[in-house]
PDB file of all heavy atoms in Angstrom:
ATOM      1  N   LEU A1395       1.440   1.950  -3.403  1.00 90.00           N
ATOM      2  CA  LEU A1395       2.208   2.688  -4.435  1.00 90.00           C
ATOM      3  C   LEU A1395       3.612   2.975  -3.882  1.00 90.00           C
ATOM      4  O   LEU A1395       3.858   2.945  -2.687  1.00 90.00           O
ATOM      5  CB  LEU A1395       1.484   4.038  -4.690  1.00 90.00           C
ATOM      6  CG  LEU A1395       0.067   3.948  -5.185  1.00 90.00           C
ATOM      7  CD1 LEU A1395      -0.652   5.291  -4.948  1.00 90.00           C
ATOM      8  CD2 LEU A1395       0.003   3.525  -6.622  1.00 90.00           C
ATOM      9  N   PRO A1396       4.554   3.278  -4.776  1.00 89.00           N
ATOM     10  CA  PRO A1396       5.919   3.580  -4.327  1.00 89.00           C
ATOM     11  C   PRO A1396       5.933   4.723  -3.293  1.00 89.00           C
ATOM     12  O   PRO A1396       6.732   4.700  -2.370  1.00 89.00           O
ATOM     13  CB  PRO A1396       6.627   3.992  -5.603  1.00 89.00           C
ATOM     14  CG  PRO A1396       5.888   3.279  -6.705  1.00 89.00           C
ATOM     15  CD  PRO A1396       4.478   3.259  -6.265  1.00 89.00           C
ATOM     16  N   PHE A1397       5.086   5.743  -3.477  1.00 86.00           N
ATOM     17  CA  PHE A1397       5.186   6.877  -2.557  1.00 86.00           C
ATOM     18  C   PHE A1397       4.227   6.848  -1.389  1.00 86.00           C
ATOM     19  O   PHE A1397       4.067   7.817  -0.713  1.00 86.00           O
ATOM     20  CB  PHE A1397       4.965   8.185  -3.372  1.00 86.00           C
ATOM     21  CG  PHE A1397       4.070   8.081  -4.566  1.00 86.00           C
ATOM     22  CD1 PHE A1397       2.700   8.062  -4.487  1.00 86.00           C
ATOM     23  CD2 PHE A1397       4.665   7.920  -5.835  1.00 86.00           C
ATOM     24  CE1 PHE A1397       1.915   7.952  -5.613  1.00 86.00           C
ATOM     25  CE2 PHE A1397       3.870   7.781  -6.949  1.00 86.00           C
ATOM     26  CZ  PHE A1397       2.502   7.808  -6.865  1.00 86.00           C
ATOM     27  N   ASN A1398       3.551   5.709  -1.117  1.00 93.00           N
ATOM     28  CA  ASN A1398       2.760   5.644   0.103  1.00 93.00           C
ATOM     29  C   ASN A1398       3.215   4.484   0.988  1.00 93.00           C
ATOM     30  O   ASN A1398       2.551   4.208   2.012  1.00 93.00           O
ATOM     31  CB  ASN A1398       1.266   5.582  -0.181  1.00 93.00           C
ATOM     32  CG  ASN A1398       0.814   4.245  -0.795  1.00 93.00           C
ATOM     33  OD1 ASN A1398       1.599   3.297  -0.966  1.00 93.00           O
ATOM     34  ND2 ASN A1398      -0.482   4.193  -1.185  1.00 93.00           N
ATOM     35  N   ILE A1399       4.300   3.818   0.657  1.00 94.00           N
ATOM     36  CA  ILE A1399       4.756   2.674   1.474  1.00 94.00           C
ATOM     37  C   ILE A1399       5.007   3.099   2.921  1.00 94.00           C
ATOM     38  O   ILE A1399       4.678   2.359   3.864  1.00 94.00           O
ATOM     39  CB  ILE A1399       6.002   1.998   0.851  1.00 94.00           C
ATOM     40  CG1 ILE A1399       5.619   1.367  -0.499  1.00 94.00           C
ATOM     41  CG2 ILE A1399       6.587   0.959   1.810  1.00 94.00           C
ATOM     42  CD1 ILE A1399       6.807   0.779  -1.221  1.00 94.00           C
ATOM     43  N   GLY A1400       5.577   4.257   3.091  1.00 93.00           N
ATOM     44  CA  GLY A1400       5.880   4.752   4.443  1.00 93.00           C
ATOM     45  C   GLY A1400       4.628   5.031   5.270  1.00 93.00           C
ATOM     46  O   GLY A1400       4.693   5.195   6.463  1.00 93.00           O
ATOM     47  N   ASP A1401       3.490   5.122   4.600  1.00 95.00           N
ATOM     48  CA  ASP A1401       2.211   5.418   5.296  1.00 95.00           C
ATOM     49  C   ASP A1401       1.401   4.130   5.672  1.00 95.00           C
ATOM     50  O   ASP A1401       0.430   4.246   6.410  1.00 95.00           O
ATOM     51  CB  ASP A1401       1.286   6.238   4.418  1.00 95.00           C
ATOM     52  CG  ASP A1401       1.745   7.672   4.278  1.00 95.00           C
ATOM     53  OD1 ASP A1401       2.836   8.000   4.785  1.00 95.00           O
ATOM     54  OD2 ASP A1401       0.995   8.486   3.681  1.00 95.00           O
ATOM     55  N   LEU A1402       1.791   2.995   5.139  1.00 96.00           N
ATOM     56  CA  LEU A1402       0.916   1.826   5.256  1.00 96.00           C
ATOM     57  C   LEU A1402       0.707   1.365   6.705  1.00 96.00           C
ATOM     58  O   LEU A1402      -0.416   1.061   7.087  1.00 96.00           O
ATOM     59  CB  LEU A1402       1.497   0.668   4.404  1.00 96.00           C
ATOM     60  CG  LEU A1402       1.695   0.975   2.919  1.00 96.00           C
ATOM     61  CD1 LEU A1402       2.216  -0.272   2.184  1.00 96.00           C
ATOM     62  CD2 LEU A1402       0.370   1.451   2.303  1.00 96.00           C
ATOM     63  N   ALA A1403       1.802   1.375   7.530  1.00 95.00           N
ATOM     64  CA  ALA A1403       1.614   0.958   8.916  1.00 95.00           C
ATOM     65  C   ALA A1403       0.727   1.944   9.675  1.00 95.00           C
ATOM     66  O   ALA A1403      -0.122   1.545  10.439  1.00 95.00           O
ATOM     67  CB  ALA A1403       2.964   0.845   9.598  1.00 95.00           C
ATOM     68  N   ARG A1404       0.900   3.236   9.365  1.00 96.00           N
ATOM     69  CA  ARG A1404       0.052   4.256  10.023  1.00 96.00           C
ATOM     70  C   ARG A1404      -1.417   4.131   9.556  1.00 96.00           C
ATOM     71  O   ARG A1404      -2.344   4.333  10.354  1.00 96.00           O
ATOM     72  CB  ARG A1404       0.578   5.640   9.699  1.00 96.00           C
ATOM     73  CG  ARG A1404      -0.185   6.775  10.427  1.00 96.00           C
ATOM     74  CD  ARG A1404      -0.033   6.671  11.929  1.00 96.00           C
ATOM     75  NE  ARG A1404      -0.868   7.600  12.654  1.00 96.00           N
ATOM     76  CZ  ARG A1404      -2.119   7.317  13.077  1.00 96.00           C
ATOM     77  NH1 ARG A1404      -2.629   6.085  12.868  1.00 96.00           N
ATOM     78  NH2 ARG A1404      -2.827   8.186  13.746  1.00 96.00           N
ATOM     79  N   LEU A1405      -1.594   3.814   8.282  1.00 96.00           N
ATOM     80  CA  LEU A1405      -2.958   3.618   7.790  1.00 96.00           C
ATOM     81  C   LEU A1405      -3.615   2.408   8.469  1.00 96.00           C
ATOM     82  O   LEU A1405      -4.828   2.449   8.802  1.00 96.00           O
ATOM     83  CB  LEU A1405      -2.973   3.420   6.268  1.00 96.00           C
ATOM     84  CG  LEU A1405      -2.892   4.706   5.423  1.00 96.00           C
ATOM     85  CD1 LEU A1405      -2.725   4.319   3.928  1.00 96.00           C
ATOM     86  CD2 LEU A1405      -4.117   5.578   5.606  1.00 96.00           C
ATOM     87  N   SER A1406      -2.824   1.377   8.648  1.00 96.00           N
ATOM     88  CA  SER A1406      -3.347   0.173   9.333  1.00 96.00           C
ATOM     89  C   SER A1406      -3.775   0.518  10.773  1.00 96.00           C
ATOM     90  O   SER A1406      -4.853   0.080  11.227  1.00 96.00           O
ATOM     91  CB  SER A1406      -2.282  -0.921   9.356  1.00 96.00           C
ATOM     92  OG  SER A1406      -2.729  -2.067  10.031  1.00 96.00           O
ATOM     93  N   GLU A1407      -2.947   1.364  11.430  1.00 96.00           N
ATOM     94  CA  GLU A1407      -3.301   1.777  12.796  1.00 96.00           C
ATOM     95  C   GLU A1407      -4.556   2.655  12.774  1.00 96.00           C
ATOM     96  O   GLU A1407      -5.423   2.562  13.646  1.00 96.00           O
ATOM     97  CB  GLU A1407      -2.134   2.574  13.351  1.00 96.00           C
ATOM     98  CG  GLU A1407      -2.308   3.037  14.806  1.00 96.00           C
ATOM     99  CD  GLU A1407      -1.155   3.841  15.321  1.00 96.00           C
ATOM    100  OE1 GLU A1407      -0.065   3.822  14.682  1.00 96.00           O
ATOM    101  OE2 GLU A1407      -1.300   4.542  16.338  1.00 96.00           O
ATOM    102  N   PHE A1408      -4.651   3.547  11.770  1.00 97.00           N
ATOM    103  CA  PHE A1408      -5.832   4.375  11.603  1.00 97.00           C
ATOM    104  C   PHE A1408      -7.079   3.547  11.459  1.00 97.00           C
ATOM    105  O   PHE A1408      -8.141   3.807  12.047  1.00 97.00           O
ATOM    106  CB  PHE A1408      -5.639   5.278  10.388  1.00 97.00           C
ATOM    107  CG  PHE A1408      -6.813   6.145  10.057  1.00 97.00           C
ATOM    108  CD1 PHE A1408      -7.159   7.287  10.816  1.00 97.00           C
ATOM    109  CD2 PHE A1408      -7.706   5.812   8.998  1.00 97.00           C
ATOM    110  CE1 PHE A1408      -8.241   8.085  10.486  1.00 97.00           C
ATOM    111  CE2 PHE A1408      -8.777   6.575   8.673  1.00 97.00           C
ATOM    112  CZ  PHE A1408      -9.072   7.715   9.428  1.00 97.00           C
ATOM    113  N   GLY A1409      -7.001   2.489  10.599  1.00 96.00           N
ATOM    114  CA  GLY A1409      -8.147   1.606  10.423  1.00 96.00           C
ATOM    115  C   GLY A1409      -8.559   0.913  11.731  1.00 96.00           C
ATOM    116  O   GLY A1409      -9.745   0.778  12.027  1.00 96.00           O
ATOM    117  N   ARG A1410      -7.542   0.504  12.523  1.00 95.00           N
ATOM    118  CA  ARG A1410      -7.838  -0.128  13.799  1.00 95.00           C
ATOM    119  C   ARG A1410      -8.536   0.840  14.756  1.00 95.00           C
ATOM    120  O   ARG A1410      -9.487   0.489  15.407  1.00 95.00           O
ATOM    121  CB  ARG A1410      -6.506  -0.621  14.422  1.00 95.00           C
ATOM    122  CG  ARG A1410      -6.649  -1.634  15.523  1.00 95.00           C
ATOM    123  CD  ARG A1410      -5.311  -2.039  16.107  1.00 95.00           C
ATOM    124  NE  ARG A1410      -4.334  -2.319  15.066  1.00 95.00           N
ATOM    125  CZ  ARG A1410      -3.195  -1.670  14.943  1.00 95.00           C
ATOM    126  NH1 ARG A1410      -2.872  -0.708  15.806  1.00 95.00           N
ATOM    127  NH2 ARG A1410      -2.353  -1.987  13.985  1.00 95.00           N
ATOM    128  N   GLU A1411      -8.053   2.102  14.779  1.00 96.00           N
ATOM    129  CA  GLU A1411      -8.640   3.094  15.628  1.00 96.00           C
ATOM    130  C   GLU A1411     -10.089   3.413  15.226  1.00 96.00           C
ATOM    131  O   GLU A1411     -10.946   3.653  16.070  1.00 96.00           O
ATOM    132  CB  GLU A1411      -7.834   4.408  15.600  1.00 96.00           C
ATOM    133  CG  GLU A1411      -6.421   4.279  16.181  1.00 96.00           C
ATOM    134  CD  GLU A1411      -5.563   5.457  15.800  1.00 96.00           C
ATOM    135  OE1 GLU A1411      -5.987   6.289  14.960  1.00 96.00           O
ATOM    136  OE2 GLU A1411      -4.418   5.600  16.374  1.00 96.00           O
ATOM    137  N   GLN A1412     -10.341   3.375  13.933  1.00 96.00           N
ATOM    138  CA  GLN A1412     -11.673   3.733  13.422  1.00 96.00           C
ATOM    139  C   GLN A1412     -12.617   2.536  13.357  1.00 96.00           C
ATOM    140  O   GLN A1412     -13.799   2.708  13.044  1.00 96.00           O
ATOM    141  CB  GLN A1412     -11.526   4.319  12.001  1.00 96.00           C
ATOM    142  CG  GLN A1412     -10.794   5.606  11.945  1.00 96.00           C
ATOM    143  CD  GLN A1412     -11.592   6.772  12.536  1.00 96.00           C
ATOM    144  OE1 GLN A1412     -12.807   6.836  12.405  1.00 96.00           O
ATOM    145  NE2 GLN A1412     -10.884   7.660  13.194  1.00 96.00           N
ATOM    146  N   GLY A1413     -12.096   1.347  13.617  1.00 95.00           N
ATOM    147  CA  GLY A1413     -12.909   0.128  13.402  1.00 95.00           C
ATOM    148  C   GLY A1413     -13.258  -0.052  11.938  1.00 95.00           C
ATOM    149  O   GLY A1413     -14.365  -0.501  11.580  1.00 95.00           O
ATOM    150  N   LEU A1414     -12.292   0.287  11.098  1.00 96.00           N
ATOM    151  CA  LEU A1414     -12.513   0.309   9.640  1.00 96.00           C
ATOM    152  C   LEU A1414     -11.602  -0.719   8.963  1.00 96.00           C
ATOM    153  O   LEU A1414     -10.396  -0.548   8.932  1.00 96.00           O
ATOM    154  CB  LEU A1414     -12.184   1.694   9.099  1.00 96.00           C
ATOM    155  CG  LEU A1414     -12.380   1.918   7.616  1.00 96.00           C
ATOM    156  CD1 LEU A1414     -13.842   2.036   7.283  1.00 96.00           C
ATOM    157  CD2 LEU A1414     -11.614   3.246   7.190  1.00 96.00           C
ATOM    158  N   PRO A1415     -12.203  -1.787   8.431  1.00 94.00           N
ATOM    159  CA  PRO A1415     -11.328  -2.779   7.743  1.00 94.00           C
ATOM    160  C   PRO A1415     -10.726  -2.080   6.450  1.00 94.00           C
ATOM    161  O   PRO A1415     -11.423  -1.357   5.755  1.00 94.00           O
ATOM    162  CB  PRO A1415     -12.323  -3.844   7.245  1.00 94.00           C
ATOM    163  CG  PRO A1415     -13.533  -3.639   8.121  1.00 94.00           C
ATOM    164  CD  PRO A1415     -13.593  -2.202   8.458  1.00 94.00           C
ATOM    165  N   ILE A1416      -9.421  -2.300   6.287  1.00 95.00           N
ATOM    166  CA  ILE A1416      -8.738  -1.737   5.110  1.00 95.00           C
ATOM    167  C   ILE A1416      -8.140  -2.862   4.268  1.00 95.00           C
ATOM    168  O   ILE A1416      -7.351  -3.671   4.796  1.00 95.00           O
ATOM    169  CB  ILE A1416      -7.629  -0.736   5.497  1.00 95.00           C
ATOM    170  CG1 ILE A1416      -8.233   0.414   6.333  1.00 95.00           C
ATOM    171  CG2 ILE A1416      -6.909  -0.228   4.277  1.00 95.00           C
ATOM    172  CD1 ILE A1416      -7.166   1.451   6.792  1.00 95.00           C
ATOM    173  N   ASN A1417      -8.499  -2.924   3.017  1.00 94.00           N
ATOM    174  CA  ASN A1417      -7.896  -3.851   2.090  1.00 94.00           C
ATOM    175  C   ASN A1417      -6.721  -3.170   1.438  1.00 94.00           C
ATOM    176  O   ASN A1417      -6.889  -2.099   0.815  1.00 94.00           O
ATOM    177  CB  ASN A1417      -8.895  -4.321   1.034  1.00 94.00           C
ATOM    178  CG  ASN A1417      -9.896  -5.314   1.549  1.00 94.00           C
ATOM    179  OD1 ASN A1417      -9.539  -6.418   1.899  1.00 94.00           O
ATOM    180  ND2 ASN A1417     -11.121  -4.905   1.674  1.00 94.00           N
ATOM    181  N   PHE A1418      -5.534  -3.767   1.538  1.00 94.00           N
ATOM    182  CA  PHE A1418      -4.343  -3.227   0.890  1.00 94.00           C
ATOM    183  C   PHE A1418      -4.132  -3.991  -0.411  1.00 94.00           C
ATOM    184  O   PHE A1418      -3.926  -5.213  -0.371  1.00 94.00           O
ATOM    185  CB  PHE A1418      -3.143  -3.297   1.805  1.00 94.00           C
ATOM    186  CG  PHE A1418      -3.221  -2.432   2.978  1.00 94.00           C
ATOM    187  CD1 PHE A1418      -3.808  -2.864   4.208  1.00 94.00           C
ATOM    188  CD2 PHE A1418      -2.676  -1.119   2.958  1.00 94.00           C
ATOM    189  CE1 PHE A1418      -3.886  -2.032   5.295  1.00 94.00           C
ATOM    190  CE2 PHE A1418      -2.771  -0.312   4.068  1.00 94.00           C
ATOM    191  CZ  PHE A1418      -3.344  -0.751   5.245  1.00 94.00           C
ATOM    192  N   VAL A1419      -4.180  -3.296  -1.523  1.00 91.00           N
ATOM    193  CA  VAL A1419      -4.048  -3.988  -2.807  1.00 91.00           C
ATOM    194  C   VAL A1419      -2.953  -3.271  -3.629  1.00 91.00           C
ATOM    195  O   VAL A1419      -2.788  -2.078  -3.574  1.00 91.00           O
ATOM    196  CB  VAL A1419      -5.358  -3.989  -3.604  1.00 91.00           C
ATOM    197  CG1 VAL A1419      -6.449  -4.712  -2.834  1.00 91.00           C
ATOM    198  CG2 VAL A1419      -5.838  -2.569  -3.918  1.00 91.00           C
ATOM    199  N   PRO A1420      -2.152  -4.019  -4.396  1.00 88.00           N
ATOM    200  CA  PRO A1420      -1.171  -3.388  -5.234  1.00 88.00           C
ATOM    201  C   PRO A1420      -1.826  -2.788  -6.424  1.00 88.00           C
ATOM    202  O   PRO A1420      -2.936  -3.167  -6.839  1.00 88.00           O
ATOM    203  CB  PRO A1420      -0.260  -4.570  -5.641  1.00 88.00           C
ATOM    204  CG  PRO A1420      -1.167  -5.729  -5.603  1.00 88.00           C
ATOM    205  CD  PRO A1420      -2.151  -5.494  -4.479  1.00 88.00           C
ATOM    206  N   MET A1421      -1.214  -1.813  -7.019  1.00 77.00           N
ATOM    207  CA  MET A1421      -1.678  -1.259  -8.268  1.00 77.00           C
ATOM    208  C   MET A1421      -1.730  -2.419  -9.292  1.00 77.00           C
ATOM    209  O   MET A1421      -0.814  -3.186  -9.370  1.00 77.00           O
ATOM    210  CB  MET A1421      -0.708  -0.162  -8.781  1.00 77.00           C
ATOM    211  CG  MET A1421      -1.248   0.639  -9.922  1.00 77.00           C
ATOM    212  SD  MET A1421      -0.070   1.923 -10.402  1.00 77.00           S
ATOM    213  CE  MET A1421      -1.186   3.194 -10.853  1.00 77.00           C
ATOM    214  N   ASN A1422      -2.870  -2.528  -9.988  1.00 57.00           N
ATOM    215  CA  ASN A1422      -3.033  -3.709 -10.843  1.00 57.00           C
ATOM    216  C   ASN A1422      -1.971  -3.768 -11.900  1.00 57.00           C
ATOM    217  O   ASN A1422      -1.418  -2.749 -12.323  1.00 57.00           O
ATOM    218  CB  ASN A1422      -4.444  -3.724 -11.453  1.00 57.00           C
ATOM    219  CG  ASN A1422      -4.642  -2.640 -12.505  1.00 57.00           C
ATOM    220  OD1 ASN A1422      -4.065  -2.615 -13.590  1.00 57.00           O
ATOM    221  ND2 ASN A1422      -5.509  -1.669 -12.165  1.00 57.00           N
ATOM    222  N   SER A1423      -1.694  -4.992 -12.377  1.00 43.00           N
ATOM    223  CA  SER A1423      -0.589  -5.179 -13.303  1.00 43.00           C
ATOM    224  C   SER A1423      -0.759  -4.383 -14.594  1.00 43.00           C
ATOM    225  O   SER A1423       0.170  -4.054 -15.241  1.00 43.00           O
ATOM    226  CB  SER A1423      -0.409  -6.649 -13.652  1.00 43.00           C
ATOM    227  OG  SER A1423      -1.453  -7.445 -13.244  1.00 43.00           O
ATOM    228  N   GLY A1424      -2.045  -4.197 -14.943  1.00 38.00           N
ATOM    229  CA  GLY A1424      -2.277  -3.393 -16.135  1.00 38.00           C
ATOM    230  C   GLY A1424      -1.822  -1.952 -15.968  1.00 38.00           C
ATOM    231  O   GLY A1424      -1.579  -1.229 -16.916  1.00 38.00           O
ATOM    232  N   GLY A1425      -1.704  -1.501 -14.696  1.00 33.00           N
ATOM    233  CA  GLY A1425      -1.245  -0.170 -14.442  1.00 33.00           C
ATOM    234  C   GLY A1425       0.238  -0.006 -14.360  1.00 33.00           C
ATOM    235  O   GLY A1425       0.757   1.084 -14.127  1.00 33.00           O
ATOM    236  N   GLY A1426       1.002  -1.106 -14.506  1.00 33.00           N
ATOM    237  CA  GLY A1426       2.387  -0.992 -14.594  1.00 33.00           C
ATOM    238  C   GLY A1426       3.179  -1.281 -13.310  1.00 33.00           C
ATOM    239  O   GLY A1426       4.388  -1.110 -13.221  1.00 33.00           O
ATOM    240  N   LEU A1427       2.472  -1.729 -12.267  1.00 32.00           N
ATOM    241  CA  LEU A1427       3.203  -2.059 -11.006  1.00 32.00           C
ATOM    242  C   LEU A1427       3.729  -3.491 -11.155  1.00 32.00           C
ATOM    243  O   LEU A1427       3.174  -4.438 -10.707  1.00 32.00           O
ATOM    244  CB  LEU A1427       2.306  -1.948  -9.808  1.00 32.00           C
ATOM    245  CG  LEU A1427       2.998  -2.176  -8.441  1.00 32.00           C
ATOM    246  CD1 LEU A1427       4.026  -1.160  -8.219  1.00 32.00           C
ATOM    247  CD2 LEU A1427       1.988  -2.147  -7.322  1.00 32.00           C
ATOM    248  N   ASP A1428       4.861  -3.657 -11.884  1.00 37.00           N
ATOM    249  CA  ASP A1428       5.435  -4.901 -12.156  1.00 37.00           C
ATOM    250  C   ASP A1428       6.698  -5.071 -11.324  1.00 37.00           C
ATOM    251  O   ASP A1428       7.780  -4.676 -11.727  1.00 37.00           O
ATOM    252  CB  ASP A1428       5.732  -5.016 -13.668  1.00 37.00           C
ATOM    253  CG  ASP A1428       6.313  -6.341 -14.081  1.00 37.00           C
ATOM    254  OD1 ASP A1428       6.591  -7.176 -13.173  1.00 37.00           O
ATOM    255  OD2 ASP A1428       6.558  -6.525 -15.267  1.00 37.00           O
ATOM    256  N   LEU A1429       6.532  -5.584 -10.147  1.00 35.00           N
ATOM    257  CA  LEU A1429       7.641  -5.674  -9.228  1.00 35.00           C
ATOM    258  C   LEU A1429       8.703  -6.644  -9.699  1.00 35.00           C
ATOM    259  O   LEU A1429       9.882  -6.564  -9.289  1.00 35.00           O
ATOM    260  CB  LEU A1429       7.180  -6.033  -7.833  1.00 35.00           C
ATOM    261  CG  LEU A1429       6.214  -5.033  -7.176  1.00 35.00           C
ATOM    262  CD1 LEU A1429       6.100  -5.288  -5.709  1.00 35.00           C
ATOM    263  CD2 LEU A1429       6.626  -3.621  -7.417  1.00 35.00           C
ATOM    264  N   GLY A1430       8.348  -7.619 -10.498  1.00 36.00           N
ATOM    265  CA  GLY A1430       9.319  -8.489 -11.079  1.00 36.00           C
ATOM    266  C   GLY A1430      10.330  -7.730 -11.842  1.00 36.00           C
ATOM    267  O   GLY A1430      11.550  -7.848 -11.689  1.00 36.00           O
ATOM    268  N   SER A1431       9.886  -6.838 -12.677  1.00 37.00           N
ATOM    269  CA  SER A1431      10.800  -5.938 -13.427  1.00 37.00           C
ATOM    270  C   SER A1431      11.544  -5.011 -12.478  1.00 37.00           C
ATOM    271  O   SER A1431      12.711  -4.753 -12.658  1.00 37.00           O
ATOM    272  CB  SER A1431      10.040  -5.122 -14.470  1.00 37.00           C
ATOM    273  OG  SER A1431       9.404  -5.978 -15.355  1.00 37.00           O
ATOM    274  N   ALA A1432      10.845  -4.549 -11.448  1.00 37.00           N
ATOM    275  CA  ALA A1432      11.475  -3.592 -10.520  1.00 37.00           C
ATOM    276  C   ALA A1432      12.620  -4.253  -9.785  1.00 37.00           C
ATOM    277  O   ALA A1432      13.652  -3.630  -9.554  1.00 37.00           O
ATOM    278  CB  ALA A1432      10.415  -3.094  -9.550  1.00 37.00           C
ATOM    279  N   VAL A1433      12.475  -5.510  -9.444  1.00 36.00           N
ATOM    280  CA  VAL A1433      13.519  -6.200  -8.722  1.00 36.00           C
ATOM    281  C   VAL A1433      14.730  -6.342  -9.628  1.00 36.00           C
ATOM    282  O   VAL A1433      15.847  -6.164  -9.190  1.00 36.00           O
ATOM    283  CB  VAL A1433      13.047  -7.607  -8.252  1.00 36.00           C
ATOM    284  CG1 VAL A1433      14.204  -8.389  -7.688  1.00 36.00           C
ATOM    285  CG2 VAL A1433      11.966  -7.441  -7.179  1.00 36.00           C
ATOM    286  N   ASP A1434      14.535  -6.663 -10.890  1.00 36.00           N
ATOM    287  CA  ASP A1434      15.625  -6.844 -11.794  1.00 36.00           C
ATOM    288  C   ASP A1434      16.313  -5.516 -12.172  1.00 36.00           C
ATOM    289  O   ASP A1434      17.528  -5.438 -12.214  1.00 36.00           O
ATOM    290  CB  ASP A1434      15.189  -7.551 -13.085  1.00 36.00           C
ATOM    291  CG  ASP A1434      14.713  -8.995 -12.766  1.00 36.00           C
ATOM    292  OD1 ASP A1434      15.147  -9.518 -11.773  1.00 36.00           O
ATOM    293  OD2 ASP A1434      13.841  -9.479 -13.524  1.00 36.00           O
ATOM    294  N   ASP A1435      15.475  -4.529 -12.478  1.00 38.00           N
ATOM    295  CA  ASP A1435      16.027  -3.304 -13.062  1.00 38.00           C
ATOM    296  C   ASP A1435      16.122  -2.165 -12.039  1.00 38.00           C
ATOM    297  O   ASP A1435      16.748  -1.141 -12.343  1.00 38.00           O
ATOM    298  CB  ASP A1435      15.100  -2.842 -14.210  1.00 38.00           C
ATOM    299  CG  ASP A1435      14.901  -3.898 -15.239  1.00 38.00           C
ATOM    300  OD1 ASP A1435      15.820  -4.693 -15.411  1.00 38.00           O
ATOM    301  OD2 ASP A1435      13.838  -3.929 -15.852  1.00 38.00           O
ATOM    302  N   ALA A1436      15.574  -2.375 -10.841  1.00 31.00           N
ATOM    303  CA  ALA A1436      15.561  -1.297  -9.853  1.00 31.00           C
ATOM    304  C   ALA A1436      15.029   0.001 -10.454  1.00 31.00           C
ATOM    305  O   ALA A1436      15.522   1.089 -10.202  1.00 31.00           O
ATOM    306  CB  ALA A1436      16.950  -1.069  -9.234  1.00 31.00           C
TER     307      ALA A1436
END
């Protein structure tokens, strides 16, 4: 999400520490995370 990007590396480290696989997935397109539009319109 826009407001958790700064946490992603720390979450990855947390998963490594915990032995916990973490799947990172974007908000589905039906939910409005359309980065193509974001790149054009900021």
Side-chain angles (χ1 to χ4, degrees):
L1395 303 161
F1397 29 82
N1398 69 6
I1399 293 177
D1401 286 8
L1402 301 182
R1404 184 64 188 92
L1405 279 173
S1406 179
E1407 182 182 345
F1408 175 77
R1410 197 181 314 122
E1411 294 167 351
Q1412 295 290 322
L1414 181 73
I1416 301 180
N1417 284 293
F1418 291 89
V1419 299
M1421 192 177 213
N1422 69 68
S1423 14
L1427 185 61
D1428 182 356
L1429 300 193
S1431 299
V1433 171
D1434 295 335
D1435 305 330

